[in-house]
Amino acid sequence: MAHKIAVIGGDGIGPEVTEQAQRVAGAAAKRAGLDLSFNSFPYSADYYLEHGVGIEPGRFADFRANYGAILFGAVGDKRVPDMAHGRQLLLGARFELDLYINLRPIKLFTPDLCPLKGKGPDDVNMVIFRENTEGLYVGVGGQVRRGTDDEIAMQTAVYTRRGTERIIRAAFEYAVKNERKSVCMSDKANAMRDGHELWQRTFKEVAAEYPQIEAFHLYVDVAAMEMVQNPERFDVLVTENLFGDILSDLGAGLQGGLGTAASGNIHPGRCSLFEPVHGSAPDIAGTGKANPMAAVLSAAMMLDHLGSPEAALRVENAVIAQIAAGDVTVDLGGNLNCVEVGERLLARVLA
Ligand code: ATP
């Protein structure tokens, strides 16, 4: 199988970590017989300041028609304080490519990284499916009497049957494919009686089609507490956009922070975007301190999306072995730089 991959390093540490992710994933793909060709694009704050746009018109259509995936680094630069370029790139990709799944694996690789007492890799191993195109993020709202004591601000959450059903179905399909035993749906239907009643009803109907998977529901406040007290209760967790945003960062904390937190913005079968959860980290850009593992793990998710779970597993196993060996950057307690971590991962993938 051959796929074109668009590489967008972005700002700050984005290009450094993406370079290592591309190397490691490229090698794993080759070993698995997956033929990847990488094309780099310069979209970044520099590009925006020079051209006045984050990405040129028509490029997303090109990605959708001709590319298997986008490997993304990070955006964020103080010269663009409103992050206009980041919005055009990331929200643009999400909406123009209809990337309705935000997939966030929460996997603890070693007990040392977990802030919870007595919990290990068997306890913290869940996958969050965050709905990525609806909810409070659609931009429906308004402000009235702005700047006065009578000011009103409104932000409307939008949920469609189609949007709700497809993310819930994706969570169940993932559970079946990956031999996960349960899917938890989290909402706030006791307070948001219209929008989240739709989630409840849709969840029950879709769950009935997957009798082999245990289906249960937790209100989002309870889910947040349970993730901390009993993370082992969760296998696959599906939720709406805002709650998913919050719970997935809680999850990143459980797995030890930004160093190993990976993500995919996915439309199954179509060009999808994979990026580390961390930002551009301008404080360490160019120093060699950036940990490339989250980017590498995001690239592993890309390999899985492109149909090579064995290549993805090879990369993930290399990361696990490398963390165990202490061949890591300063943030994880080691003394290697970004390129050295990439080189050792590459050696492990090729071994
Ligand atoms: P942005 O505005 O792009 O989100 P930020 O600095 O506010 O940037 P992050 O980039 O996520 O947010 O960084 C938060 C902190 O974590 C910073 O101190 C940064 O140096 C550190 N950090 C983030 N990513 C990494 C990484 N890959 N390796 C090491 N440290 C990191």
XYZ file of all heavy atoms in Angstrom, residues 33 43 100 103 125 143 193 195 218 231 282 339 342:
101
model
N 5.932 -3.090 5.118
C 5.501 -3.120 3.724
C 4.546 -1.996 3.358
O 3.831 -2.067 2.343
N 3.649 25.563 6.568
C 2.640 26.325 7.315
C 3.070 26.496 8.772
O 3.384 25.522 9.459
C 1.272 25.631 7.230
C 0.886 25.300 5.817
C 0.451 24.026 5.466
C 0.996 26.270 4.810
C 0.124 23.721 4.157
C 0.678 25.963 3.497
C 0.232 24.688 3.172
O -0.083 24.384 1.878
N -14.177 13.951 12.501
C -15.166 13.976 13.595
C -14.736 13.217 14.843
O -15.378 13.318 15.884
C -16.528 13.493 13.112
C -16.611 12.044 12.673
C -16.948 11.043 13.576
C -16.390 11.682 11.347
C -17.061 9.722 13.176
C -16.498 10.366 10.937
C -16.834 9.390 11.859
O -16.941 8.084 11.470
N -9.280 11.269 18.786
C -8.913 10.023 19.472
C -7.724 10.297 20.378
O -6.672 10.746 19.921
C -8.556 8.982 18.415
C -8.299 7.564 18.877
C -9.528 6.972 19.520
C -7.904 6.686 17.688
N -5.210 2.619 31.123
C -5.123 2.162 29.735
C -6.503 2.296 29.108
O -7.275 1.346 29.063
C -4.634 0.713 29.701
C -4.440 0.221 28.274
O -4.601 0.983 27.317
N -4.108 -1.055 28.129
N -23.127 38.285 21.415
C -23.064 39.161 22.582
C -24.010 40.338 22.350
O -24.051 40.899 21.258
C -21.645 39.674 22.797
C -20.674 38.569 23.153
C -19.283 39.102 23.486
O -18.932 40.218 23.134
N -18.518 38.288 24.185
N -30.903 18.861 29.392
C -31.926 17.846 29.144
C -32.263 17.654 27.675
O -32.795 16.609 27.304
C -33.196 18.175 29.933
C -32.989 17.986 31.427
C -34.224 18.349 32.218
N -33.974 18.112 33.639
C -34.175 16.947 34.243
N -34.638 15.919 33.567
N -33.921 16.818 35.522
N -30.086 18.554 24.653
C -28.942 18.071 23.870
C -28.448 16.715 24.325
O -28.171 15.830 23.513
N -21.872 7.424 32.587
C -21.544 8.198 33.787
C -21.735 9.672 33.469
O -21.284 10.140 32.400
C -20.085 7.982 34.209
C -19.666 6.599 34.712
C -18.148 6.585 34.967
C -20.411 6.201 35.973
N -9.260 4.493 37.627
C -9.044 4.590 36.166
C -9.201 3.242 35.468
O -9.522 3.196 34.280
C -7.602 5.118 36.058
C -6.961 4.821 37.368
C -8.056 4.881 38.385
N 7.630 27.233 23.208
C 8.673 28.173 22.775
C 9.829 28.278 23.767
O 10.954 28.599 23.375
C 7.924 29.510 22.648
C 6.588 29.315 23.272
C 6.299 27.852 23.308
N 17.109 14.603 19.171
C 17.615 13.786 18.061
C 18.105 12.433 18.573
O 17.863 11.390 17.948
C 18.751 14.540 17.322
C 19.386 13.670 16.248
C 18.208 15.825 16.707
N 15.257 10.170 19.107
C 14.790 9.693 17.803
C 15.700 8.612 17.241
O 15.231 7.588 16.741
